[in-house]
Structures are given as structure tokens and as C-alpha cells.
């Protein structure tokens, strides 16, 4: 202890000054980030990769054939250039000895030529690779399925159209009508079971239990709806596409995506109709799903039915809306039209369903024909199948 320490008054010792750190933590982090950014910019400048980040594909390439083709073309161009250089007129290529070149065969039918771009230099190179198996099949459209011959490309996918020979989808996909032996004028009953395609189990049950004479209506929303429609057609059923249309209490009661609405202009509703019609193929016509407000609006409904008629399809009104103008519009456009006379399972009880089927028989005897509409409830399918065996 020094003399100064002994003579200094108590409590007045001077604290030793601490030097602050030259760099704070935040400054350190900022420096590291700046260094990383600088290195990244330097790498971009040095790498000079204009195609960096683009997807690449690795394919088997016939480089020898492509190189031989490019060599032959280069020699031809070189010969032509040498003959014309320094001359006032051109009398053809100079006669020079050129080593015989092997003939380069044309690409086979099962191959295709692709262009590979060098990511460093941007140089292009054409190579021949085997063509995918489905490419050859896609080019043979003349032998495609019958469904494709009666469909045309649209904004969303293929939609029905009248075939080149004038056959309409309503005729091509209709179930042949076979009169009863000895009773050519016997009353006829058409039954439509709708609401199919959404539930695979309910749809499979309907296809398995109902006779082929029963028409099936499919909603356009099922994930496997196209496959289910194909199964139904193979079992002999006629198919209708159910088009969701605006009810009076929309949107509280919503038929589903792409619903046709009275608030949309005709072009928007036609675009939605195209999407709905593209969900599957092989149907004879359209029928409404809900749509009390839409089918009562001639301004909204008429363009849709005109488009339906133009594509060779029929329209079936389910008969639930007494204010529907479908009949007037269809008649004005010479369009095949039908309307449901009776809802078979408006009361989904066994006795009520049997009573409705009996009423349908009476209506057919009085007018010669009748149309019944039913949902795909299990009780409805069971009683319709039982009735059809004894009808």
C-alpha cells in the first residue's frame, strides 16, 4: 500500500477507467452478413451462369448422330461460301475433293429430337432420344375411342360436339329402344336416378342393382367420376350430366363449384358450362341440379340451352320448378326435351316409393309415356330395382 493510498480520504477512491469494447455484437453480425453478401455477389459475377436455377433433365442422347449431321451441314455451307467469295457471279460450288460422308439416317418414328442448352455458354445442341410410348399413341387420333370422336378441345378440356358425319352425342350414346314383342305401342316409362358420382360406394351399388334401362345422372365433382361413368355405360345405362344451377336461396344452399348463376353474363356461364361438360364423356344430355332461380330466368337460361342444343345434346328438366322456362326455350331451338312428371322418393319411405311408382305407371297408361326422377338413396335403389323386375 502506497503513501497516497493512506492519505486519501475514505470513500473518495477513484475507480480505474475501463476501456469499452471496440466492436459490439450487432456490429459483428452486420459485418458477417456484409461479408457473405459480398462473396455471393462476387460468385455471381465470376460464375456467369445465365441459366442458373433452371430445371434440368438427364436423357440418353445419341450424340454421334447429331455430331455427324452438324458436320455434314457445316461442310456444305463452307463449300458454298468458298465458291462465292471474291466472285461477281455465282456458278455453283467449286469442285473440290470432299471425303465421302456416311449418310445420316432420318430420325426413326419412335424417336424425337430435343435441344440441349449449355448452362455455361448458352450453346445449343440437338440430340435424338427415344420417344415416349404414349407420344406415338397420341398421334393416332383417327383410331381413338368413340367418345373422343364426338368431343372437341375447349378452354378446360374436351367437350361434346356433333361428329363430322352429323351424328349427335344424344344419338350416339343413347340406349336402343326395343319395343315389347307384340306391343309396339305399349306405354313407356323413363326413370332417372341422379346424384351419382360423388360417392363411389353408392354409385357402384346403383350400377350393380339397377337394370340398364334406368338412366343415371352424374354430378361433375367426383374424383373418379369418369371411371364410374364408363362402368355405368358398360352396364347399359344412359348417362346425364347434372349441371349445378342457382336456387332461390343461393348461396345458403350451394349446389357446388362452377354453379351457373343469374348474376353472371352469358359468356361467364358458358365458360362454367364448358368446365362442367369436360368432367367426363359419353352422356346424352344435361339435367339441372337444383336451379329454381336459374331455370326461371330466360335471360340467363336461354344462352345455356342454345349452347347445349348446338352440341347435339338433350335437356331434361327435373320438374321441381313450376316456373321453369326450359320447355319454351327448348322448343324455340328445336332441341330434344323431357320433363320429370313425378319425384319417386320425395318422401323416402318404402311405402311412399312404391305408391309413387304405381302413380308413374298410371300416368304412362294415360299419356303413353312418363318420366320419374329419383335420388340415389339406398331405399330408392332397392325398391326401383324390385319394381323394374315386374314392370
Amino acid at each position: 500500500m502506497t503513501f497516497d493510498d493512506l492519505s486519501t480520504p475514505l470513500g473518495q477512491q477513484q475507480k480505474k477507467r475501463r476501456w469499452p469494447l471496440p466492436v459490439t455484437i450487432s456490429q459483428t453480425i452486420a459485418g458477417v452478413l456484409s461479408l457473405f453478401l459480398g462473396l455471393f455477389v462476387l460468385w455471381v459475377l465470376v460464375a456467369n451462369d445465365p441459366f442458373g436455377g433452371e430445371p434440368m433433365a438427364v436423357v440418353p442422347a445419341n450424340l454421334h448422330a447429331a455430331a455427324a449431321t452438324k458436320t455434314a451441314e457445316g461442310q456444305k455451307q463452307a463449300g458454298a461460301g468458298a465458291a462465292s467469295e471474291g466472285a461477281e457471279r455465282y456458278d455453283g460450288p467449286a469442285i473440290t475433293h470432299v471425303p465421302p460422308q456416311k449418310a445420316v439416317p432420318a430420325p426413326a418414328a419412335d424417336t424425337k429430337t430435343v435441344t440441349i442448352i449449355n448452362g455455361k455458354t448458352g450453346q445449343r445442341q440437338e440430340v435424338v432420344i427415344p420417344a415416349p410410348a404414349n407420344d406415338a399413341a397420341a398421334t393416332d387420333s383417327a383410331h381413338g375411342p368413340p367418345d373422343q370422336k364426338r368431343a372437341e378441345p375447349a378452354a378446360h378440356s374436351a367437350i361434346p360436339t356433333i361428329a363430322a358425319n352429323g351424328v349427335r352425342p344424344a344419338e350416339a350414346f343413347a340406349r336402343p329402344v326395343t319395343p315389347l314383342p307384340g306391343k309396339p305401342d305399349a306405354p313407356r316409362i323413363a326413370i332417372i336416378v341422379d346424384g351419382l358420382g360423388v360417392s363411389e360406394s353408392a354409385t357402384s351399388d346403383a350400377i350393380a342393382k339397377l337394370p340398364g334401362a334406368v338412366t343415371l345422372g352424374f354430378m361433375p365433382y367426383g374424383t373418379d367420376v369418369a371411371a364410374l361413368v364408363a362402368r355405368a355405360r358398360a352396364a347399359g345405362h344412359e348417362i346425364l350430366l347434372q349441371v349445378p344451377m342457382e336456387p332461390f336461396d343461393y348461396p345458403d344452399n350451394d349446389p357446388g363449384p362452377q354453379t351457373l348463376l343469374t348474376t353472371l353474363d352469358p359468356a361467364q356461364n358458358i365458360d362454367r358450362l364448358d368446365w362442367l361438360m369436360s368432367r367426363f364423356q359419353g352422356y346424352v344430355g344435361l339435367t339441372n341440379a337444383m336451379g329454381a332461380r336459374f331455370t326461371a330466368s330466360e335471360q340467363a337460361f336461354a344462352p345455356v340451352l342454345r349452347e347445349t342444343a348446338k352440341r347435339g345434346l338433350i335437356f331434361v328438366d327435373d320438374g321441381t320448378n313450376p316456373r321453369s322456362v326450359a320447355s319454351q326455350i327448348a322448343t324455340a331451338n328445336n332441341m330434344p326435351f323431357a320433363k320429370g312428371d313425378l319425384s319417386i322418393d320425395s318422401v323416402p319411405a318404402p311405402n311412399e316409393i312404391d305408391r309413387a311408382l304405381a302413380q308413374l305407371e298410371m300416368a304412362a297408361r294415360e299419356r303413353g309415356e312418363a318420366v320419374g326422377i329419383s335420388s340415389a338413396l339406398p331405399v330408392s335403389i332397392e325398391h326401383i330395382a324390385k319394381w323394374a323386375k315386374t314392370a
Side-chain angles (χ1 to χ4, degrees), residues 354-366:
D354 291 339
R355 184 179 293 108
L357 290 169
Q359 293 175 358
L360 197 63
E361 288 186 29
M362 294 176 58
R365 291 192 183 97
E366 293 175 359

Side-chain angles (χ1 to χ4, degrees), residues 146-152 158-175 233 237-240 277 280-286 307-315 336:
D147 293 6
Q148 296 179 2
K149 296 179 182 180
R150 297 177 180 86
E152 69 176 8
I159 57 178
T161 189
I162 299 175
N165 59 0
V167 177
R168 300 170 176 267
E171 301 164 350
F173 302 126
R175 176 184 170 90
R233 288 183 54 205
H237 296 278
E238 277 186 357
I239 307 299
L240 290 173
M277 290 194 297
F280 55 85
Q281 300 295 325
Y283 45 90
V284 298
L286 313 181
E307 180 72 11
T308 305
K310 184 178 73 173
R311 301 201 166 277
L313 300 168
I314 71 171
F315 185 79

Side-chain angles (χ1 to χ4, degrees), residues 19-327:
W19 293 98
L21 293 175
V23 180
T24 63
I25 296 178
S26 59
Q27 291 175 332
T28 303
I29 296 175
V32 172
L33 292 177
S34 301
L35 178 62
F36 175 78
L37 181 60
L39 291 175
F40 176 75
V41 173
L42 180 64
W43 177 83
V44 171
L45 296 176
V46 174
N48 190 23
D49 185 5
F51 299 98
E54 291 190 0
M56 297 188 299
V58 180
V59 296
N62 188 355
L63 298 176
H64 299 291
T69 304
K70 180 175 289 187
T71 301
E73 292 178 352
Q75 291 177 351
K76 181 184 290 186
Q77 295 174 358
S84 60
E85 184 178 359
E88 294 182 358
R89 75 174 186 180
Y90 176 65
D91 294 327
I95 301 175
T96 57
H97 177 70
V98 179
Q101 299 290 332
K102 279 189 176 182
V104 180
D110 57 348
T111 62
K112 63 189 301 183
T113 302
V114 299
T115 301
I116 297 178
I117 303 175
N118 189 313
K120 295 287 186 183
T121 64
Q123 182 181 1
R124 295 173 177 266
Q125 183 179 12
E126 294 184 352
V127 297
V128 180
I129 64 172
N134 57 357
D135 277 10
T139 59
D140 190 12
S141 59
H143 302 286
D147 293 6
Q148 296 179 2
K149 296 179 182 180
R150 297 177 180 86
E152 69 176 8
H156 305 284
S157 186
I159 57 178
T161 189
I162 299 175
N165 59 0
V167 177
R168 300 170 176 267
E171 301 164 350
F173 302 126
R175 176 184 170 90
V177 178
T178 304
L180 293 175
K183 297 181 179 179
D185 299 327
R188 297 170 57 190
I189 296 176
I191 292 183
I192 301 170
V193 174
D194 58 25
L196 298 172
V198 178
S199 169
E200 183 176 356
S201 59
T203 304
S204 299
D205 190 52
I207 295 173
K209 293 182 178 180
L210 295 173
V214 175
T215 299
L216 303 182
F218 280 78
M219 294 293 291
Y221 303 127
T223 55
D224 297 324
V225 63
L228 293 172
V229 167
R231 284 177 51 192
R233 288 183 54 205
H237 296 278
E238 277 186 357
I239 307 299
L240 290 173
L241 167 64
Q242 286 189 266
V243 177
M245 300 181 183
E246 179 184 0
F248 280 113
D249 53 352
Y250 181 87
D252 293 335
N253 196 4
D254 190 348
Q258 303 293 331
T259 294
L260 306 187
L261 302 174
T262 57
T263 54
L264 301 179
D265 60 45
Q268 291 174 304
N269 277 324
I270 295 301
D271 182 71
R272 291 190 172 201
L273 180 66
D274 287 351
W275 184 90
L276 295 164
M277 290 194 297
S278 70
R279 301 299 294 158
F280 55 85
Q281 300 295 325
Y283 45 90
V284 298
L286 313 181
T287 185
N288 58 295
M290 300 188 188
R293 182 188 296 274
F294 191 85
T295 58
S297 171
E298 183 174 0
Q299 181 179 0
F301 198 16
V304 170
L305 282 192
R306 282 196 295 268
E307 180 72 11
T308 305
K310 184 178 73 173
R311 301 201 166 277
L313 300 168
I314 71 171
F315 185 79
V316 178
D317 191 316
D318 66 4
T320 57
N321 181 20
R323 298 168 55 185
S324 173
V325 294
S327 177

